[in-house]
Amino acid sequence: MAKYALIITEKPDAAKRIATALDSRGKPEKVEDNGVPYFLASRDRKLVVVPALGHLYTVIQDRGGRNYYPVFSFKWAPRYKAERRAKETQAWVEVFSKLSDDADDFIAACDYDIEGSLIGYCLLKYACNGKESVAKRMKFSTLTKSELEKTYEEPLPHLDFALIEAGRTRHEVDWLYGVNLSRALTLSARRWSGKYATLSTGRVQGPTLRFLVKRERAIGLFVPKPYWSIHAEAEIKGSACEVEYERKKIGRKAEADKVVQDCRGKAGKIESIEVRKYQQRPPIPFDLGGLQTEAYSLFGYTPRWTAGIAQRLYLAALISYPRTSSQKLPPAINYRGILEALGKKPAYRKLTSSLLKREKLTPREGKKEDPAHPAVYPTGSLPERALSDQEKNIWDLIVRRFMAVFGEPAIKQSMKATLALDGHHFYLRGRQVLKAGWMRFYKPYIRTEEVLLPPIEEGEVAKLRQIAREDKFTSPPPRYNPSSLLKKMEEEGIGTKATRADIIQTLYDRNYIRDKRIEVTALGFDIAEILHKHCPRVISVKFTRELEEKMEQVRAESERRENVLVEAVDRLKPMLEELKKREERMGEALSNAVKKARMEERIVGNCPNCGTGKLIILYSRKTGKRFIGCTNYFNGLCKTSFPLPQKGTVKSLRSECAGCGWPLVEVRTKGRRPWRLCFNPDCPRKEERKKYGEMRDLRERSN
Ligand SMILES: [Zn+2]
Ligand SMILES: [Zn+2]
């Protein structure tokens, strides 16, 4: 068999795209071996393009069982040996091994960043039997044909070892922290109670939970203070305009009442008019964090969701690599070429052609840089398949942001007229765009609206049409949402662009937090408290950030992986000794927290019959059957109970039935969508639902 070049890619979609771009006829042959797809392409020579499935290798414990800590010895191994859920990856590793036998050239073409470089490295080293030292590296920021062809012709002569070392360091350090700290928690709880519960914390997870707990506490301790404000409307040139009283907050009610008394029904004069013209510069290009923030505020997508959509757009060659922290757009990406290509879409034609008329295109840029990739930009390719609405939104946002960064500053004007009335002052504010500049490109996503004022002149008389006192309370600090939490992590320098969104998800998965406006659960509170009390360094932000900086230095080749690992172990050791010493007390506290959390999950709501008890999910001692009963049953005060379905899992929903106001539970059974159940036998909705159900049954039967 003729020898070939083996090209390693990160995922099947990327493999297909790379094979299609490199094949001289654009039609690579797809082969499937034991469920693993790969592609045969021919160019100057035969190419075999094989996808990984993300990480196929991971850090595992070198020897010994799972029931102790500390553990400091580890090795890299195929994921299928470590994780039950990764069984399918065995076939992939085997296919790589087999294909490497007849290859005489090895090229890593995974995403160009820490994770991608590490994925390629592990496959070359372990599956291909030590080819990491001879392999070449394709470096690219988009999956467009032109860029892929170019980097294939001119690859880097060897792997990017700085990125790989940084990746190894991160995975190894995170493993050391994750496995030891989580075991300390889980084992101490189990030794105390004899019961098993998965409790986890990690190097970044702990400090992140800490931010949330701090905020939660500030909200809990917040005492709203009353204040008063004035709402008023004036009549100017026959039209009613809202005016703003000079003091936004008035500390005493009597004072506010006096303002109303003094001014009601009176007329005053426009004392002065201030007009201010100012420029607003174009926005800066998106890095991943910027895109996530904007998508959350415009569309309500969580950062993790946005990252997923952006990844799909990248695989469809519509945008450049999204996991970047750069806010720069180098000229090498060819601004004109991209704009010309985007102009083929009628919706963008007018906008792109106005930019292309310019002699010189200079983007506004932000400060942040990324050694591997530029900021997120559209490649200019148009969709080859129908995009989902969400993909369309994100793509359009990226395209418009890209155009906007080349725009001219917008010129705006603000106006403030002061109405003097018996010693009181009211302001009229207007806002107007004089020249749209970059805003033309970004129009659908601009949130501030213009407020046009009637033409007013100094000395003009205006009468108050309406004035009233408003009673208000100061509000507590806002809850974090996934987007603002991600920003906070970024500001504090913990986690990376690739991991932050997943860490937030882990906190949800562990039941430490819930809801979009993030609320810390009792369990989350307790875990953070226990860690804070018994080992504050585990959740120290400063400590986490320092380690983060060290790992960045590995990437910049000013620090060695070995040193960082030694340091990590040196720091971890005393923490673990401390935890060990306190194992008993911690175990008790953790066990109670878990018990409380499990109880909380079972509470459904207040008992509608006795009013003082709580309805909880119970199991009959005789039959083992599940039902809902009142806690007052145990002291003989209330016998309220309701049957529950016996299959699947039942969970409290913490929301109420729209028909009767009773609490709802969620039932999940295998192979069915979760459904909401109102267990009130007299619920008015029951009848409706029955009818609907019968209709559906009929329909299903007739199909
Ligand atoms: Zn009751
Ligand atoms: Zn109901």
Side-chain angles (χ1 to χ4, degrees), residues 1-139:
M1 193 173 165
K3 299 271 182 186
Y4 46 77
L6 187 71
I7 300 184
I8 298 173
T9 67
E10 197 157 323
K11 297 220 167 87
D13 293 9
K16 185 177 175 196
R17 200 158 272 284
I18 290 171
T20 309
L22 298 183
D23 186 67
S24 47
R25 291 163 306 129
K27 280 196 186 117
E29 182 191 339
K30 184 177 173 181
V31 182
E32 223 176 282
D33 182 359
N34 202 6
V36 182
Y38 63 88
F39 298 87
L40 306 178
S42 61
R43 196 178 172 85
D44 49 339
R45 63 170 310 181
K46 193 174 165 196
L47 307 173
V48 178
V49 186
V50 199
L53 209 54
H55 284 286
L56 294 178
Y57 288 81
T58 187
V59 180
I60 65 166
Q61 192 175 335
D62 194 11
R63 53 188 174 272
R66 305 173 133 259
N67 292 328
Y68 68 94
Y69 68 93
V71 278
F72 295 124
S73 74
F74 58 82
K75 63 180 178 195
W76 284 82
R79 269 180 59 211
Y80 67 84
K81 287 196 179 160
E83 300 165 29
R84 232 172 287 154
R85 278 178 306 174
K87 273 273 169 283
E88 55 168 349
T89 60
Q90 181 165 6
W92 296 69
V93 171
E94 285 166 4
V95 167
F96 267 104
S97 290
K98 214 189 310 174
L99 289 170
S100 71
D101 289 345
D102 288 318
D104 61 356
D105 204 1
F106 293 83
I107 305 169
C110 298
D111 294 340
Y112 195 84
D113 66 4
I114 283 185
E115 303 303 329
S117 292
L118 189 58
I119 291 169
Y121 168 83
C122 287
L123 280 165
L124 287 159
K125 185 178 166 83
Y126 303 115
C128 303
N129 211 358
K131 293 299 185 300
E132 76 280 7
S133 54
V134 296
K136 296 180 201 122
R137 178 69 159 117
M138 278 167 64
K139 181 185 175 183

Side-chain angles (χ1 to χ4, degrees), residues 607-615 630-633 637-640:
C607 174
N609 288 339
C610 67
T612 57
K614 295 238 184 268
L615 293 182
C630 176
T631 45
N632 274 342
Y633 175 82
L637 292 175
C638 181
K639 285 189 171 170
T640 303

Side-chain angles (χ1 to χ4, degrees), residues 442 517 643:
Y442 208 55
R517 288 173 64 239

Side-chain angles (χ1 to χ4, degrees), residues 492-507:
E492 297 284 346
I494 62 171
T496 68
K497 55 184 181 284
T499 56
R500 287 183 193 115
D502 290 333
I503 287 162
I504 296 173
Q505 187 59 40
T506 306
L507 293 173

Side-chain angles (χ1 to χ4, degrees), residues 167-188:
R168 285 179 65 185
T169 315
R170 179 167 297 280
H171 281 256
E172 290 165 6
V173 166
D174 282 348
W175 182 83
L176 284 168
Y177 275 75
V179 80
N180 281 296
L181 295 174
S182 297
R183 271 187 202 178
L185 295 186
T186 304
L187 292 174
S188 62

Side-chain angles (χ1 to χ4, degrees), residues 244-308:
E244 178 188 315
Y245 186 62
E246 58 190 309
R247 286 162 64 201
K248 282 197 171 158
K249 283 185 182 178
I250 299 172
R252 287 173 45 222
K253 191 173 159 195
E255 266 180 75
D257 283 337
K258 186 164 183 305
V259 176
V260 174
Q261 265 170 28
D262 284 359
C263 302
R264 178 168 284 152
K266 289 198 181 146
K269 254 187 198 165
I270 301 290
E271 194 181 65
S272 65
I273 299 175
E274 286 167 54
V275 177
R276 196 170 71 89
K277 256 192 214 176
Y278 62 99
Q279 281 199 353
Q280 194 178 16
R281 296 171 70 196
I284 55 175
F286 281 134
D287 63 342
L288 179 63
L291 175 64
Q292 286 169 320
T293 306
E294 190 80 335
Y296 185 82
S297 77
L298 289 169
F299 313 124
Y301 302 162
T302 63
R304 194 161 177 257
W305 194 246
T306 299

Side-chain angles (χ1 to χ4, degrees), residues 143-168:
L143 290 175
T144 52
K145 184 171 164 66
S146 55
E147 187 167 356
L148 290 171
E149 283 186 308
K150 187 161 179 280
T151 172
Y152 171 79
E153 300 298 343
E154 299 158 20
L156 305 180
H158 50 71
L159 298 185
D160 37 85
F161 289 102
L163 282 185
I164 293 163
E165 285 296 285
R168 285 179 65 185

